[in-house]
Structure formats: structure tokens, C-alpha cells
Amino acid sequence: MPIISTSSMNNKKAYTAGTVYTGTDKLRHHAVLTTDGHIDALVPAIAVSEEYEVKSFGNQAIIAPAFVDLQLYGANNRLLSVYPDAQTVSDIVQYSKSGGAAWCLPTVATNTYEVIFKCIDAIRDYWQQGGKGALGLHVEGPWISMEKRGAHNPDWIFSPTLEQVEELIEYGRNVIKIITLAPEVCTPDILEYIQLQKIIVSAGHSNATYEQAIETFNTTGVATVTHLYNAMSPMQHRAPGLVGAVLDHPLVKAAIIPDGHHVDYAAIRIAKKILNERLFAITDAVTTTTEGYYKHQFAGDKYTSNGILSGSALTMHKAFINLVVYAGVKVDEALRMCSLHPARIIKHSDEIALLKNGYPASMVVLDKALNLVATIN
């Protein structure tokens, strides 16, 4: 699957397809006009002027905004926590692009501050070397529930003081974009402090009761949840838990892992009916790892660590396909679940997930069978 540069050779390019999804609208037989990698206009294909070099993908093809993955841990046998350097970040970005995600958020699971600091340094080094596509860092843990730790190392889990939170946030300023934590192990002033630093707090690996979760959502501003259903208090008829609180709340948004292992597709359909545009996809992808605590082993089409399901083998394109084929999500909405909805979660400009004049020309091209033909970036 080729990754096509929008600015190589002739700097004026026109990409045409039978269908163009802008992120909000569906256009038939249109062209995306670009100059130096930015969108000039969306026009009917027959109206493209001679100044543009035309790349036609055919009447059966689809052009749509590139995907955005907010949670993945490594690629090419390089887990970020084991190899916290710019090369690993580059490998993660390239893996993401190969699956249609021009934008991603490399993630480090519960670890020591020393390792998390090195992961922060890796993102900074990647940026300083001119690297693009990595939006920052997602820190998952270590302020999580021991009971809902999943594959996370229990030795590194703790309930932090405000001073300990400030230490991490200060070191990761402008790099950390999301922190996954269990709200019941953090005080309200900690939740408030993190969000004042313009970092998204996502509730996850949490054993919060329904009442605790609703209170958190209503009073602290926390409005996002990490991998719905997984590693959280389940919905039971006498104890609705964090899952029930998410499904019952009118504003909370939730990530989900559509690989068929982390969540049954029927459960995805149920959540989608209730949350609608507030449900978005992540890959939660890891890579084969033989070093460190998290020794991820490939098992069929998923990964395990220390005998526990620890990550997916998804790309965002595969996530998109699974949403359409197995969860029954319509194509246009599945595209948004993999692009526009996650882009809005991190309060990033919609320009990374909409095809609109002046925005970067970051796109995926799909054929009639929804196979990924190219990532344009």
C-alpha cells in the first residue's frame, strides 16, 4: 500500500474518485485540488484545470480523510517503553500510515517515571528531527486501579499526590496529550490540575462504581473513557459500574477496540446505538517484544503478555473494516469513527480529519471493496 506525498514533483495535484467523503459530506465524482500538500478546493472532476497534475483513482474508488489513532504502543518489534527513541516513534508513525492513519498518538503503558520521561524525550527528538504524524504522547497509567490493571505491572501502580502529578506533567509539557487514569484513585484537585494543563483525562483501568463515575463526569470535566468495556467495572443489573455510567451519560465519549477479541461486535453495536458519534475507534496495537516487563507475544491475530490479552494487531484500516463488516456501522460513519471523532477528542483542530479548503491534504483512498489503496499525506 503506497504512501503518496502531496508535495513531491509538481506541487499542484488533483486527486479524483467516484466518491469523496469530506468528513461531513459525501460528494460524487469530485476532485481534491492541492498545492504544496494543502487543499485548494473540492470541485467536480470535470472542472479540474490544466495547471493540476491529475491522479485518478477511478469511478469506484473512495477518497476520505486519513485516519487518526490515539492509542498504540509500538511497531516493527520496537515497543516504545523498551526502545524509547525517535526511531521507534518513526516506526510507529510508518506502521500507522501503512494502515491509513496519517496521525497517531504513541502510547506508554504503566511504567516507572524514568521510562515515561524517556518516552517523552523520544517524541521531542522525533519532532526535532523533522518528524511528522505523531501528535504527542498518550500516558496510560500508572495512576490506575489495581483491580482493573489488566496486563499492567502491579509494582508500578500507585495513587499519586499532586506533587507527583506535577512532576510528570512539567516534564511532559506540550508532549503529553492524554493521560488514562482511574478517577477513583485520584483526588478531584488532581483531575482539575491535569485538565488545566490542556491534557485530556481519560477514565480507564478503573473499578469506579456507577455513582463515582457519574460524579466524576458531572463535577470534574472528565468526559472521555479509554477502551470501553475493557479493564473497567462492568455493567451489571444491580451495579451498573463505569460501563453503565458511560452509556447513561449524555456527554461522555469512549474509545473502543474493534478487533473481535477485546470486545464482542454485538457489544460494539449496542454501544454505537447509544453513544452514536461519541464512540470512536483505537487500535491498541502492540508489537512482538522479548525484553522488559511487557513481553507481548503474537497469538493468532492478537497479542498476549504474561498470559493476559495485552493488545491488538489492528491497523486503523482493519478497525474500519471490522466496524463495517462485523459491527454493521455504515461506511461514512465508520470513517468518522476512525478519523473525525478521535481528532475532536484531543481538541485538535478538525483540519487533521476534514477535507476542506486550506487544510492539510491527508487522505485515504479505498477501492470498491473498501481495500486500502493509498495513504496520501
Side-chain angles (χ1 to χ4, degrees), residues 25-61:
D25 299 308
K26 176 181 178 180
L27 307 175
R28 294 289 294 162
H29 303 295
H30 265 60
V32 182
L33 306 183
T34 71
T35 299
D36 293 331
H38 282 73
I39 297 173
D40 296 333
L42 285 81
V43 301
I46 60 173
V48 177
S49 68
E50 294 182 356
E51 63 180 318
Y52 289 91
E53 175 188 343
V54 177
K55 173 62 176 177
S56 176
F57 292 102
N59 289 333
Q60 301 298 319

